[in-house]
Each structure stands twice: as structure tokens, then as C-alpha cells.
Amino acid sequence: MITTRFAPSPTGPLHLGHAYAALFAERQARAAGGRFLLRIEDIDETRCRPEFTQAILDDLAWLGLVWDEPPRVQSAHFDAYRAALAALAARGLLYPCFCTRADIAGASRGQTPDGAPLYPGTCRARSAEQRQALLATGTPHALRLDMAGALAACPPLHYHEAGHGRVLCHPERFGDVVLGRKECPASYHLAVTHDDAIQGVTLVTRGEDLRAATDLHRLLQALMGWDTPDYAHHRLIRDASGVRLAKSAGAAGLRTLGLTPAEIRARLGF
């Protein structure tokens, strides 16, 4: 049975791009007689707000969406993410990184596929004694994946993209990615991959801007022994000037557009 999901972050109101993603995921599930799930990705407690979570639930119901089990709320599962990190650490695949963002920006010689500075591996070279000394003084740190070690532990990886077939993965493009911080016990990459596995998602539908991240998620699945879903990366909704709709860019909320749910569905092709 196909299981899809819509997984918004409650950092603001839903816009047309969110509506398209939710309707796309639901259509894929219903067309195959499968399940459609909802997940609230609120691991960033500094930006996420309960009132936005409730607004998401209200807006989705207003659009006529129905999910097949209670929403999974990530902030209720921090212990599960910590356990995943501990499993990777026990295999020697994580190391503490004490570099600041300024340190990384100044030393980086490239970018990851999502536009972040590529980490140069500074703290990977620290001795165990140096790491313990810094930890003992309470120096803020992140937990990074040792990409070389992770790749050595896995065969060449691929996934299946709906409409395209077999896609080879190149997670090394992300370098030693952060998987956890003190203020946030899991990165987006770890939490989303963990939850797709736990919820039994068999088809991950999401915007084409996240296509490159799938390579990294496939690596985490292989390391953790999680099932690999199929993927379908859909088009992005853009404004009249061609700019992708985003909360950070002030995209208008669904309820401010003056459209009915039927009109929104028609405008988006549903």
C-alpha cells in the first residue's frame, strides 16, 4: 500500500506552495487506494509556534484534506532522534564540531547542493584529547557525520524517482553534514529520514528544491537500516515574477487570498 505524507514546519501560515505540496501528496495516495499522513516538523523550537501548528491543521481541513492517522509532531520524539544519533556515534560516524558559522564561512572552499558553505573538516582532525578538553569546558558544538566513514560503510547508493527510474546518489557533495545540535537534537535531514521510516512512508513527495537532499537521506537510510521509499519531486509554485513562494519571502497566507478552497484547488490543478 502506498503511504504519502505532508510535513510542514509551523513557522508561519501556509501559502499556495504548501497547498500544492499537500494536495499532490494526497492525490498520489488516494489514486492508489493508499494512506495520506500529516507530520508537523517543529524541531526548531526557536522559530516554530503552537499557533502556527493549529493554523496549519485548520487550513488543511478548510482545503478539504483528510489524513489517515493523528499527526506526528516531531517535538514529541526528541528521544528517538537522540537514540539515532547515539547509534551513529557508537559506530564512530559522528564527531563534535566546535567551529562557528564565521569559522566555516571563512575556511570553506565551496558550497553544498543547498547553498550552505561546505565544511572543510577542521574538527574531524582534532585529537580525542582536544575534543574532550573542549567538551569539558562547555564549548558549544554540533555533531557532524564523518562522510568518508559513512561512505566506506555503504555500497554505491541509488533511489527510485517516479517517472524517471533509478537515480544514483552522491551524498559526498554535502560534506560532513550537521546531524544534531545542543539546541536542536536532530537536523532536518536526520529527523525527516527517521520519521519517514517510522511512519512507513513508501512514497516521499516534495518540491524539486529538495531533490539533491535525497542523496543524503538515502545514505542515512543505508546507515540506519531503514527502508528506502520511492520519491516524487514535484514542481514549485512561483509568483508572477518567477520567484518561488516562501514564508521567508513573505508569501501570502492561503486565507488572505480571497479564494475559496475550490478556487485554490482549481488554480493549482486539483
Side-chain angles (χ1 to χ4, degrees):
M1 177 185 293
I2 286 181
T3 299
T4 67
R5 48 69 165 176
F6 175 55
S9 296
T11 58
L14 296 184
H15 53 65
L16 280 175
H18 294 120
Y20 183 89
L23 291 166
F24 184 91
E26 186 198 40
R27 171 180 282 183
Q28 301 305 306
R30 301 306 183 211
R35 299 188 307 150
F36 169 66
L37 306 181
L38 175 63
R39 181 163 71 232
I40 302 298
E41 298 195 337
D42 61 344
I43 55 174
D44 186 347
E45 295 183 299
T46 63
R47 298 174 60 232
C48 297
R49 298 286 184 270
E51 59 267 30
F52 290 138
T53 296
Q54 187 58 53
I56 286 171
L57 300 177
D58 293 343
D59 283 353
L60 293 176
W62 178 71
L63 280 172
L65 289 156
V66 177
W67 40 99
D68 293 311
E69 60 184 49
R72 180 180 176 89
V73 180
Q74 287 188 332
S75 60
H77 300 281
F78 282 166
D79 285 347
Y81 307 138
R82 292 188 183 101
L85 286 171
L88 292 170
R91 297 170 60 185
L93 295 177
L94 294 182
Y95 64 87
C97 173
F98 306 94
C99 298
T100 66
R101 287 182 172 84
D103 293 335
I104 298 168
S108 176
R109 292 188 176 87
Q111 289 186 329
T112 64
D114 52 10
L118 184 64
Y119 183 64
T122 307
C123 287
R124 189 189 330 111
R126 293 185 188 274
S127 67
E129 293 76 14
Q130 289 174 323
R131 293 175 181 175
Q132 286 303 316
L134 289 166
L135 291 171
T137 61
T139 304
H141 66 280
L143 294 174
R144 289 187 178 274
L145 179 69
D146 183 336
M147 182 59 71
L151 292 173
C154 298
L157 300 170
H158 68 275
Y159 64 89
H160 183 270
E161 172 77 22
H164 295 277
R166 191 172 185 263
V167 179
L168 294 177
C169 298
H170 298 281
E172 66 276 3
R173 295 180 296 165
F174 285 87
D176 290 359
V177 66
V178 170
L179 293 185
R181 300 182 188 275
K182 181 179 180 181
E183 69 275 13
C184 187
S187 70
Y188 161 77
H189 299 298
L190 179 65
V192 71
T193 310
H194 173 279
D195 287 357
D196 285 340
I198 292 299
Q199 292 189 278
V201 174
T202 63
L203 175 64
V204 172
T205 65
R206 57 191 182 194
E208 61 186 4
D209 56 324
L210 289 170
R211 187 186 304 274
T214 304
D215 291 10
L216 178 57
H217 299 176
R218 181 67 190 92
L219 175 61
L220 293 174
Q221 290 158 0
L223 292 172
M224 298 300 298
W226 293 329
D227 289 342
T228 304
D230 290 340
Y231 289 84
H233 295 95
H234 57 69
R235 69 183 180 94
L236 301 177
I237 304 302
R238 303 179 184 275
D239 64 19
S241 62
V243 176
R244 176 175 68 91
L245 295 183
K247 284 180 285 190
S248 59
L254 290 178
R255 303 290 189 106
T256 69
L257 298 174
L259 302 173
T260 67
E263 288 170 334
I264 288 175
R265 284 174 171 267
R267 180 169 174 176
L268 295 174
F270 293 94

